[in-house]
Amino acid sequence: MTEKNPIPENEQEHSTPQPAPKAESAPTVQRKPLQLTPLSILWGAGIVALLIGVIGLFQRFQEGLRPTALGSYVPWGLWVATYEYFVWLEIGSLVVFTLIVYVFKLHPILHKMAVTLYLTALVILAMALILIGLDLGHPFRFWHVLVWPQWSSLLAWMIWAHMIYMVVLLAKLLIEAYGKSQTLKAIGRALSYISIPLGLALVAIAGSVFSVMVGRPAWQGNGLPLYFLISSLVAGTGLLTFLFTWFYPNKQDPEYLSTVRWLGNLLLGLLVVGLVAASLGGMVLLYPGIPAQAEALRLALFGPFWWVYWIVHIGLGVVVPMALLLGRNPSSRQVGVAATLLITTFIAVPLNIVIPAQVVIGIIEAELVAAFHGPTLMAGYFPTLNEWLVTLFALAFGFLVFLFGFTVLRLRPHADISAEEASK
Amino acid sequence: MALEPKDVLVRMYDDLQRALQKKPEERRWVMVIDLRKCVGCHACTIACVAENKLPPGVVYRPVVEQERGKYPNVTRMFIPRPCMQCDEPPCVPVCPVNATYADEEGVVVMNYERCIGCRYCLNACPYSARTTDFGYMYVNARLPMAEGLILGREEADDYERAANYEYGIARERSGRLESPVGNARKCHFCLHRVHEGELPACTTTCIGRATYFGDINDPDSLVSELVKLPNAIRLREELGTKPKVYYLV
């Protein structure tokens, strides 16, 4: 079989590269050697991570949910927990930011971070929707919720609220980045005010999705919506502090360090509130010792994955950040490290909320689990490689979009704008 | 209970024919399971799997085995657990797309084409009566070939791919990710059989005559008599879900 030349014959003459006549007098152009800048490394890492993640995505579409560790007794796992965490991050950071800058009018310097924060929140929102979409048995039927919503379902409310929030956030980002007129800025401010109750409602609904389920006694009750709100504020403050500390362009700004410390103190205070709330909730579950409720918490605290709670969450996510923040005058680096540690380890919280409450069926209804065997009738759960790969895909996708927005679209704070000017 | 004048199966068939003469909204299907008669043979489970051609990992009617006491004073108890077809089903209002609902006869059914596979209903059911179809097949490359025999990989494959008739709709199992793969699945009291005048597969298969089915709105039906007995209970009544599956204990 002869291969066809893709270039038509009449064009070949022109397309064939002709050897250039040597002109001795012509100046020699020296090519710059390819330099590995930190930015190019970040792009490269993001693309590699995305390509690795695509393997999981391909497998997901080829084989459905079979390559996951999900089953009928543990139907929600890593992707749902990560979705919840992303909701906390995106909403919490925006609510805290809007409260500080617009409602209480504190630290106007923070307003310079608006465009970066909106970009980050939008990227996190996209990652959340990717993961929750891929968690569906029929991802391409997501539109059914928009066409045939059942309003008695909190899940329908959650998805609708999330969609509306996405539109509001996108509008805020566009106005903040490109809106020059006073009218647009006024709309942006109005949207910011609207986003506070809308965001808080979304987080509360996300918590209520779990708390209305009589089938899972460890979730059921009125505590989770409140706990979700507190967790969202903690995670969101962590994200805001992270962004401001590391991405604020003018570290010499006299307000910079004081604002960083103020955010550090806020984070510390919210961490304490979160700890108290979690401790109270935990004690209420453990004290009566009813297995259907208490066993899930015991599993999280002392089960095979005890280290997720004690080392990842409490150790790296609470104790170390608190130690860093408790100093008299912590440096910006200390605050930044504390915030970084917090937001990278706080995923342990939704994981410990979502998974043990389902896995516990293996203890409290062991006979049911033993009654019939099948590949998805297991009470245990640990994410499979496919679940990690798909999560990596979502993270890499978000990272690359952020990088694109930050570097190419220049959606980042500019040091030359004064705080007062920015907040107008 | 006194010896029935005729086999309970015959009586239930008569009850069924009578109920089918009524308008659908006038009948209310219930199931009664006599735990004293259940011997734990799992025939109902297998009959259900065969009738609905359930794939691996999907089960509508497991039989839970409980062991009580300490050796040598031990007794065993068998509790078939179909969907309770609750009058106040916790799985229904949580569905974000209205893909599961109680039909006019009070049976909680699924609309596979509407379901998005969020599995919220699985977590909401206090009886763990729902399972998800993840698309597994019994027949796969690991199954040995049995040349020259009636049964073997190819024949089993043909059987597995042939349509089932849940909800009266023929659905072949192609091996692709088509409904009901990716959907929540549950017991539906074999409505496709009932509407044709047949009892649910689990009821006809029960070797101990421990499962009864009929219309509770018919005062002359067997199930109406049985649910009035003082030893008739329902699971987790404290939740107020009002199951339509009763147990005689």
Side-chain angles (χ1 to χ4, degrees):
Chain A
M1 207 169 82
T2 54
E3 274 188 26
K4 277 190 176 177
N5 192 335
I7 306 171
E9 277 181 17
N10 58 349
E11 286 178 24
Q12 278 190 14
E13 273 181 30
H14 307 290
S15 60
T16 311
Q18 300 293 323
K22 282 187 180 176
E24 286 177 7
S25 57
T28 53
V29 179
Q30 282 199 341
R31 281 192 170 211
K32 270 188 181 177
L34 191 65
Q35 281 186 337
L36 276 181
T37 60
L39 190 64
S40 64
I41 291 172
L42 286 176
W43 273 106
I47 291 167
V48 169
L50 188 81
L51 291 176
I52 294 171
V54 164
I55 299 169
L57 194 69
F58 179 73
Q59 199 183 14
R60 165 70 186 82
F61 285 119
Q62 277 291 106
E63 300 180 46
L65 290 169
R66 284 198 298 274
T68 68
L70 300 167
S72 290
Y73 297 134
V74 187
W76 291 348
L78 175 68
W79 295 338
V80 169
T82 312
Y83 168 81
E84 298 300 338
Y85 182 48
F86 286 161
V87 170
W88 291 357
L89 273 179
E90 104 203 23
I91 307 288
S93 57
L94 290 170
V95 166
V96 171
F97 172 81
T98 313
L99 284 173
I100 295 172
V101 175
Y102 286 102
V103 179
F104 299 115
K105 302 194 188 310
L106 302 166
H107 299 281
I109 185 177
L110 271 176
H111 194 277
K112 288 187 186 178
M113 297 304 297
V115 73
T116 310
L117 180 67
Y118 295 164
L119 170 69
T120 311
L122 199 64
V123 162
I124 293 174
L125 187 150
M127 295 193 296
L129 290 180
I130 287 174
L131 283 180
I132 205 69
L134 291 171
D135 188 71
L136 297 177
H138 287 279
F140 296 114
R141 292 185 189 171
F142 73 92
W143 56 273
H144 286 195
V145 190
L146 306 176
V147 178
W148 297 297
Q150 175 165 239
W151 296 115
S152 62
S153 170
L154 285 161
L155 207 57
W157 280 94
M158 189 179 83
I159 292 164
W160 269 82
H162 217 158
M163 291 290 176
I164 295 168
Y165 202 84
M166 185 170 69
V167 174
V168 169
L169 189 51
L170 188 62
K172 278 170 64 177
L173 175 64
L174 292 175
I175 290 170
E176 192 63 43
Y178 307 111
K180 303 289 179 206
S181 72
Q182 288 303 316
T183 316
L184 280 175
K185 285 185 176 174
I187 293 172
R189 270 197 301 277
L191 287 176
S192 291
Y193 289 123
I194 291 168
S195 70
I196 296 176
L198 182 63
L200 293 178
L202 174 53
V203 175
I205 291 169
S208 310
V209 163
F210 294 88
S211 63
V212 296
M213 278 189 260
V214 289
R216 297 284 180 261
W219 288 337
Q220 204 205 349
N222 48 16
L224 272 186
L226 193 61
Y227 190 67
F228 267 48
L229 283 172
I230 295 170
S231 299
S232 177
L233 294 179
V234 174
T237 307
L239 179 62
L240 180 62
T241 310
F242 169 86
L243 287 173
F244 183 70
T245 310
W246 299 128
F247 289 86
Y248 189 71
N250 184 7
K251 306 281 194 291
Q252 309 309 319
D253 191 324
E255 281 183 61
Y256 169 72
L257 188 58
S258 63
T259 306
V260 166
R261 285 180 180 156
W262 188 86
L263 283 172
N265 285 335
L266 181 65
L267 186 59
L268 186 62
L270 284 168
L271 260 177
V272 172
V273 172
L275 264 183
V276 171
S279 308
L280 287 175
M283 281 190 281
V284 169
L285 279 181
L286 285 176
Y287 178 77
I290 298 166
Q293 293 181 321
E295 284 303 327
L297 186 57
R298 285 204 190 103
L299 262 181
L301 300 183
F302 313 113
F305 299 106
W306 59 270
W307 50 271
V308 174
Y309 181 77
W310 292 109
I311 296 180
V312 178
H313 176 45
I314 295 296
L316 295 171
V318 176
V319 174
V320 177
M322 278 181 128
L324 287 168
L325 297 171
L326 270 172
R328 191 170 182 83
N329 285 315
S331 66
S332 63
R333 188 178 294 267
Q334 274 178 291
V335 177
V337 169
T340 310
L341 271 175
L342 182 118
I343 60 171
T344 47
T345 57
F346 211 68
I347 178 68
V349 179
L351 281 172
N352 270 328
I353 290 174
V354 173
I355 296 167
Q358 300 170 92
V359 171
V360 78
I361 192 173
I363 298 170
I364 57 175
E365 285 206 83
E367 292 103 344
L368 175 67
V369 175
F372 195 82
H373 295 272
T376 56
L377 297 174
M378 309 292 184
Y381 175 80
F382 188 80
T384 58
L385 180 63
N386 176 262
E387 287 170 84
W388 293 115
L389 285 177
V390 170
T391 310
L392 179 69
F393 168 81
L395 289 170
F397 173 81
F399 178 69
L400 288 174
V401 173
F402 177 82
L403 217 53
F404 182 79
F406 197 78
T407 59
V408 181
L409 301 179
R410 302 182 70 80
L411 298 171
R412 59 188 180 200
H414 299 289
D416 51 330
I417 305 171
S418 71
E420 289 74 24
E421 200 180 326
S423 62
K424 273 179 189 170
Chain B
M1 198 193 307
L3 198 64
E4 290 88 358
K6 56 183 174 186
D7 191 300
V8 289
L9 271 180
V10 177
R11 177 160 179 205
M12 283 191 285
Y13 267 108
D14 294 343
D15 292 349
L16 184 61
Q17 303 311 322
R18 218 167 38 249
L20 288 172
Q21 304 302 315
K22 299 199 279 186
K23 288 179 188 165
E25 59 272 20
E26 288 173 3
R27 53 192 184 228
R28 208 77 179 159
W29 303 121
V30 300
M31 189 171 277
V32 182
I33 300 169
D34 192 338
L35 295 184
R36 299 161 305 178
K37 288 185 176 177
C38 180
V39 296
C41 68
H42 298 263
C44 55
T45 310
I46 302 305
C48 174
V49 169
E51 174 65 33
N52 295 297
K53 303 194 75 197
L54 302 182
V58 177
V59 61
Y60 291 172
R61 190 182 160 103
V63 177
V64 176
E65 298 186 19
Q66 286 186 349
E67 200 168 284
R68 291 170 186 181
K70 198 174 176 185
Y71 180 82
N73 302 311
V74 186
T75 56
R76 298 190 83 190
M77 195 168 179
F78 308 101
I79 311 169
R81 286 266 291 263
C83 170
M84 298 289 133
Q85 312 293 356
C86 306
D87 273 338
E88 300 287 342
C91 56
V92 167
V94 299
C95 176
V97 293
N98 218 351
T100 187
Y101 52 92
D103 73 357
E104 49 197 351
E105 297 166 290
V107 178
V108 179
V109 294
M110 283 293 305
N111 178 344
Y112 288 143
E113 275 64 43
R114 178 75 66 84
C115 173
I116 59 173
C118 67
R119 305 183 295 286
Y120 197 2
C121 54
L122 269 76
N123 269 330
C125 175
Y127 306 98
S128 300
R130 286 170 174 255
T131 45
T132 287
D133 189 340
F134 281 78
Y136 283 95
M137 303 282 276
Y138 280 106
V139 179
N140 53 47
R142 282 174 296 168
L143 199 73
M145 295 292 281
E147 299 293 342
L149 297 179
I150 297 171
L151 292 175
R153 193 200 295 172
E154 287 178 6
E155 284 74 11
D157 189 47
D158 291 344
Y159 173 74
E160 189 168 24
R161 287 170 190 274
N164 77 353
Y165 290 91
E166 280 186 293
Y167 307 111
I169 299 167
R171 279 193 188 82
E172 289 179 8
R173 197 165 178 84
S174 62
R176 292 190 295 271
L177 303 175
E178 297 165 344
S179 283
V181 174
N183 295 131
R185 299 184 68 174
K186 65 178 291 298
C187 160
H188 37 70
F189 275 175
C190 280
L191 280 178
H192 58 285
R193 286 172 61 96
V194 170
H195 290 159
E196 297 296 323
E198 297 287 337
L199 290 166
C202 55
T203 309
T204 52
T205 317
C206 181
I207 62 165
R209 299 283 195 272
T211 299
Y212 311 101
F213 179 82
D215 175 20
I216 201 173
N217 281 355
D218 176 1
D220 298 326
S221 68
L222 176 63
V223 290
S224 288
E225 279 179 26
L226 294 174
V227 299
K228 288 175 197 156
L229 294 174
N231 60 336
I233 63 153
R234 295 183 288 186
L235 296 183
R236 305 196 67 178
E237 287 211 66
E238 77 281 3
L239 295 176
T241 52
K242 299 177 186 164
K244 285 198 285 289
V245 174
Y246 292 77
Y247 291 90
L248 299 179
V249 293

